[in-house]
Amino acid sequence: AAGVIQSPRHLIKEKRETATLKCYPIPRHDTVYWYQQGPGQDPQFLISFYEKMQSDKGSIPDRFSAQQFSDYHSELNMSSLELGDSALYFCASSSKTSSIFQETQYFGPGTRLLVL
Amino acid sequence: AQKITQTQPGMFVQEKEAVTLDCTYDTSDPSYGLFWYKQPSSGEMIFLIYQGSYDQQNATEGRYSLNFQKARKSANLVISASQLGDSAMYFCAMTGETSGSRLTFGEGTQLTVNP
């Protein structure tokens, strides 16, 4: 079965540079989520999109922005990178159900970002 | 606000034995979902099992079962017949009516299966 695809898998950037992370959800999934997992931490929710519209926003820095495109893929844009942005960034996708808290999110393999 | 607590930072189990990973939660939502994910050392996050707050029966998926005790607000994961490949970090997570579909995770339990 097709899974969530994330690219790149690894990324090394310098401080103050920008980075763009891409996510391709499971086919026919209409909702995309972004999570950030720092070293030794649990994942933290950043932002989500449903049908190309932002549906929820968590602890996403103002330096970050994201969008979902017409083909449902999503991009997370990160500017003015800081050392603390070094983390594993997950994209997850789900299919909308009648009860939003019942939706199972399937995660991609993650993008490991290192900021030097 | 929702909160997930996993009180076992590390657990050890012998191969072929069963192990229970603890998870307690706190929420004021009358309806919510509880999830378990597995994260091997390679980093990917693998969905294991889901339990809805109104489900009458405990969820099961192969060797995984969820011991759901609503009154105690606990959702423990039971892994039967442990295998070496079960060694990983295990996260309990939840969603809820007010928080929507965003997942709130616990701090995780590192499980090591010994041969």
Side-chain angles (χ1 to χ4, degrees), chain A:
Chain A
V4 177
I5 297 171
Q6 289 188 248
S7 67
R9 295 292 308 276
H10 301 273
L11 193 58
I12 299 175
K13 291 287 185 178
E14 300 280 337
K15 281 195 311 183
R16 292 180 288 278
E17 286 190 326
T18 62
T20 297
L21 279 54
K22 296 186 178 182
C23 168
Y24 298 85
I26 292 171
R28 292 179 294 281
H29 279 193
D30 48 25
T31 306
V32 167
Y33 308 81
W34 287 96
Y35 292 85
Q36 178 192 57
Q37 186 179 27
Q41 307 286 319
D42 54 285
Q44 296 294 314
F45 171 74
L46 293 178
I47 195 166
S48 63
F49 294 87
Y50 168 64
E51 287 289 345
K52 293 149 281 182
M53 299 286 289
Q54 181 182 307
S55 54
D56 194 6
K57 190 173 181 180
S59 49
I60 183 170
D62 292 340
R63 301 177 288 107
F64 294 6
S65 64
Q67 57 182 322
Q68 186 180 32
F69 296 85
S70 58
D71 63 351
Y72 292 96
H73 96 271
S74 178
E75 295 183 3
L76 177 66
N77 298 292
M78 310 161 69
S79 63
S80 302
L81 286 168
E82 302 173 356
L83 296 178
D85 296 329
S86 295
L88 184 57
Y89 290 84
F90 285 109
C91 171
S93 73
S94 70
S95 180
K96 194 61 77 178
T97 64
S98 56
S99 300
I100 57 175
F101 58 86
Q102 293 180 330
E103 296 170 18
T104 295
Q105 296 177 33
Y106 295 92
F107 283 69
T111 293
R112 200 171 291 275
L113 173 66
L114 178 61
V115 181
L116 301 176

Side-chain angles (χ1 to χ4, degrees), chain B residues 62-76:
Chain B
R63 295 186 299 110
Y64 305 107
S65 61
L66 202 152
N67 184 0
F68 180 46
Q69 298 188 47
K70 194 171 183 178
R72 294 186 176 185
K73 293 190 174 180
S74 72
N76 298 339

Side-chain angles (χ1 to χ4, degrees), chain B residues 47-64:
Chain B
F47 165 71
L48 295 178
I49 196 166
Y50 162 81
Q51 178 83 44
S53 58
Y54 284 107
D55 292 341
Q56 297 295 317
Q57 293 190 324
N58 287 341
T60 60
E61 288 286 350
R63 295 186 299 110
Y64 305 107

Side-chain angles (χ1 to χ4, degrees), chain B residues 7 22 29 35 37 42 47 52 55 58 66-67 69 76 84 97 101 104-105:
Chain B
T7 57
D22 294 342
D29 288 338
F35 302 81
Y37 286 86
S42 51
F47 165 71
D55 292 341
N58 287 341
L66 202 152
N67 184 0
Q69 298 188 47
N76 298 339
L84 295 179
E97 279 186 58
S101 54
T104 299
F105 287 85

